[in-house]
């Protein structure tokens, strides 16, 4: 891992309107993600974990604070356009967010066709098959529509789609939520494979503790809008902080 | 013991209720202006994507088919009945004052200038506008819009532009079709209920026929087509969470489109006649 963090969040604050009032979800989140590592953010549901991810990829702008990717500010109008950074990032959404009107193959090829017009259809097909195999899906299922796939297959297809643009950073939003333990284990293995085989930097949000322990180099805990713990899985187990103890014990 | 809220109310400055009232009034007045401003900015943002159309007209053709071709049966049915009702009403109003040979004149004038564009657009607001709002709202709910943005696929280019242009193109074509169907509906009633000859009906439609009326009808149709598609897309983008949010978006799209169609109808008639 290099010394300078790939992603830096500094005193990130974000509020959303709720019942006519502003509810502060992030209350000064500061976090560094090193190049090549897998950092897992844990915390209660609705605590703002996904909000952190959406800030990292420029889908949300903070009320205050700063997001830097490779040292470039993407969170303010004065900074670089988030669009330039996004091409180097991929995201696996909680509900997969596959394009329902397209079959599995088209889901993978769509963005590549737009961004790499020099590729022929044959090359696109080859790339699609390669990405499907990378996530252990048969190329034969490329003609299936997303609604014909199981939850685990959808997650894997969404990962294949994210990989199609060959990102350096992958963001995973609850990758194992709603999956049975065996399928969740397959997804965990894929997250590890992406790091080992492709060297991608991964930022994962989850409340699935077995998954977090399996894939994380470091774990950060978000509690009441702030990062209250960051360290290795072993350090997390040994932590005396009451919110951490309560979360890990559950 | 008074509650904290009660205590705060007792402690507030004498002018506070008036200030609150004025703030509320200001928000009420500025809300629609803000929404109109948002709409104008979104509309211009979509139009800025026009050059991309030439790189992929397939999406536009698909939308024209979905919006236009798929609406033909509905437009056919309502238009024939509009023509028929216009014939019955015209004869009832003119009976004893104007000969039946002028039935075609009344039907043609009313259908081309008014009922063709307006009623077709109102029906399409329900069929097409609501469908666009529900579709975009669902894409938003399922994070597909976010997924597009993450993959640097501009939703305005891929989703908004084809729908807006399809509205501008498909609705005028449907209005022309609607006018023809309404004239046939009027002829059916005039011929078989009132015993008017076909020749007299056709002569009536040609009497006082003006190309300017057709042009006004088409101007309306283009504007209404844009309104139907744009309000559908905008309300879809604004959709709240869940099935309720998507349902509300579809309802708001229809209501907004209907109101704008009638307002624009008045403004266009007022300016062009």
């Amino acid at each position: 891992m290099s010394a300078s963090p790939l992603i830096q969040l500094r005193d990130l604050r974000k509020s959303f309107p709720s019942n006519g009032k502003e509810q502060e979800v992030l209350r000064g989140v500061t976090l560094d993600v090193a190049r090549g590592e897998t950092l897992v953010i844990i915390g209660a549901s609705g605590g703002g974990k996904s909000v952190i991810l959406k800030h990292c990829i420029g889908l949300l702008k903070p009320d205050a604070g700063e997001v830097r990717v490779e040292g470039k500010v993407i969170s303010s109008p004065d900074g670089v356009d988030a669009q330039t950074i996004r091409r180097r990032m991929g995201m696996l959404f909680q509900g997969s967010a596959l394009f329902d009107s397209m079959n599995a193959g088209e889901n993978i090829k769509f963005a590549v066709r737009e961004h790499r017009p020099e590729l022929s259809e044959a090359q696109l097909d080859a790339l699609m098959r390669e990405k499907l195999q990378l996530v252990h899906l048969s190329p034969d299922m490329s003609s299936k529509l997303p609604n014909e796939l199981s939850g685990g297959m959808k997650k894997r297809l969404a990962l294949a789609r994210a990989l199609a643009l060959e990102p350096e950073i992958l963001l995973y939003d609850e990758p194992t939520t709603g999956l049975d333990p065996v399928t969740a284990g397959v997804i965990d293995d894929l997250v590890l494979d992406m790091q080992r085989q492709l060297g991608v930097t991964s930022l994962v949000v989850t409340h699935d503790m077995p998954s977090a322990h399996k894939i994380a180099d470091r774990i950060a805990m978000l509690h009441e809008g702030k990062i209250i713990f960051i360290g290795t899985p072993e350090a997390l187990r040994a932590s005396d902080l009451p919110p951490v103890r309560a979360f890990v014990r559950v | 013991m008074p509650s904290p809220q009660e205590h705060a109310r007792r402690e507030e400055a004498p002018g506070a209720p008036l200030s609150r009232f004025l703030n509320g009034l200001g928000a009420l007045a500025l809300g629609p202006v803000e929404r109109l401003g948002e709409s104008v900015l979104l509309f211009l943002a979509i139009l800025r994507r026009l050059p991309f159309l030439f790189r992929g007209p397939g999406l536009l053709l698909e939308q024209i088919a979905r919006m236009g071709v798929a609406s033909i049966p509905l437009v056919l049915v309502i238009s024939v009945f509009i023509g028929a009702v216009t014939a019955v009403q015209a004869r009832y109003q003119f009976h004893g004052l104007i000969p039946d040979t002028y039935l075609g004149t009344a039907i043609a004038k009313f259908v081309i200038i008014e009922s063709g564009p307006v009623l077709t657009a109102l029906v399409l607001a329900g069929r097409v506008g609501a469908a666009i709002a529900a579709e975009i709202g669902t894409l938003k709910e399922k994070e597909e819009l976010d997924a597009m943005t993450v993959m640097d696929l501009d939703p305005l280019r891929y989703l908004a532009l084809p729908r807006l242009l399809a509205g501008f193109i498909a609705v005028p074509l449907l209005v022309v079709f609607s006018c023809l169907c309404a004239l046939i509906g009027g002829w059916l009633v005039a011929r078989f209920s009132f015993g008017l000859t076909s020749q007299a009906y056709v002569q009536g439609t040609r009497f006082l026929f003006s190309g300017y009326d057709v042009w006004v009808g088409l101007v309306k149709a283009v504007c209404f087509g844009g309104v139907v598609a744009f309000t559908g897309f905008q309300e879809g983008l604004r959709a709240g969470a869940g099935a309720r949010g998507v349902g509300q978006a579809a309802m708001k799209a229809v209501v907004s489109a209907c109101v704008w169609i009638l307002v624009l109808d008045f403004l266009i008639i007022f300016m062009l006649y």
Side-chain angles (χ1 to χ4, degrees), chain B residues 176-226:
Chain B
V176 171
F177 176 69
S178 165
C179 291
L180 293 173
C181 293
L183 288 173
I184 292 169
W187 168 77
L188 286 171
V189 171
R191 173 76 184 84
F192 297 105
S193 292
F194 306 148
L196 198 69
T197 64
S198 299
Q199 190 186 12
Y201 181 80
V202 172
Q203 276 177 350
T205 58
R206 294 173 70 176
F207 181 64
L208 295 181
F209 177 83
S210 157
Y212 186 73
D213 292 343
V214 176
W215 185 78
V216 171
L218 287 176
V219 167
K220 284 186 180 185
V222 170
C223 295
F224 298 163

Side-chain angles (χ1 to χ4, degrees), chain B residues 58-254:
Chain B
L59 289 171
L60 173 63
L61 297 175
E62 182 190 328
Q63 288 304 319
I64 289 174
R66 284 175 68 181
M67 206 179 280
V69 178
S71 300
I72 286 176
L74 178 65
V75 171
L76 172 77
V77 172
I78 62 140
S79 302
V80 168
F81 279 98
I82 286 168
V85 168
T86 307
V88 174
Q89 276 294 323
R91 188 168 193 253
Y92 171 68
Q93 301 290 339
F94 297 163
H95 200 60
L97 298 171
I98 300 172
D100 283 353
T101 46
Y102 292 107
L103 262 182
T105 312
I107 294 167
K109 280 278 177 193
F110 181 63
V111 160
I112 292 170
I113 300 171
E114 202 56 43
S115 73
V118 174
L119 293 179
T120 304
L122 290 176
V123 168
L124 291 176
R127 189 195 173 276
V128 175
I132 293 175
E135 186 183 10
I136 301 298
T138 306
L139 294 180
K140 183 187 173 193
E141 169 71 8
K142 295 176 76 179
E143 294 185 303
E144 287 184 43
L145 295 184
D146 281 348
M148 287 185 78
T149 307
V150 164
M151 289 188 281
D152 201 12
L153 299 167
D154 180 7
L156 294 188
R157 175 186 157 190
Y158 291 96
L159 300 174
L161 183 65
R163 283 164 177 77
L164 183 65
L165 292 183
F168 282 136
I169 296 167
V171 174
L173 294 175
L174 285 171
V175 165
V176 171
F177 176 69
S178 165
C179 291
L180 293 173
C181 293
L183 288 173
I184 292 169
W187 168 77
L188 286 171
V189 171
R191 173 76 184 84
F192 297 105
S193 292
F194 306 148
L196 198 69
T197 64
S198 299
Q199 190 186 12
Y201 181 80
V202 172
Q203 276 177 350
T205 58
R206 294 173 70 176
F207 181 64
L208 295 181
F209 177 83
S210 157
Y212 186 73
D213 292 343
V214 176
W215 185 78
V216 171
L218 287 176
V219 167
K220 284 186 180 185
V222 170
C223 295
F224 298 163
V227 164
V228 167
F230 180 76
T231 52
F233 185 80
Q234 189 177 38
E235 292 303 338
L237 281 187
R238 288 175 175 162
R244 187 187 173 91
V246 174
Q248 290 270 339
M251 182 268 288
K252 284 180 184 172
V254 176

Side-chain angles (χ1 to χ4, degrees), chain A residues 123-183:
Chain A
Q123 288 171 311
L124 285 171
D125 281 338
L127 185 137
M128 180 261 293
R129 282 194 296 273
E130 177 200 327
K131 300 305 174 192
L132 284 174
Q133 281 164 350
L134 201 60
V135 297
H136 310 308
L137 283 175
S138 164
D140 297 339
M141 52 82 68
S142 63
S143 60
K144 286 188 184 295
L145 287 169
N147 62 16
E148 296 173 302
L149 304 176
S150 68
M153 289 168 91
K154 280 183 189 172
K155 294 269 186 188
R156 281 188 277 169
L157 176 59
L159 183 56
R161 184 179 69 176
L163 291 171
L165 293 172
E166 296 177 354
E168 296 162 42
I169 304 166
L170 270 172
L171 308 179
Y172 299 85
D173 190 0
E174 308 273 9
T176 57
T177 298
L179 301 179
D180 65 82
V182 175
T183 311

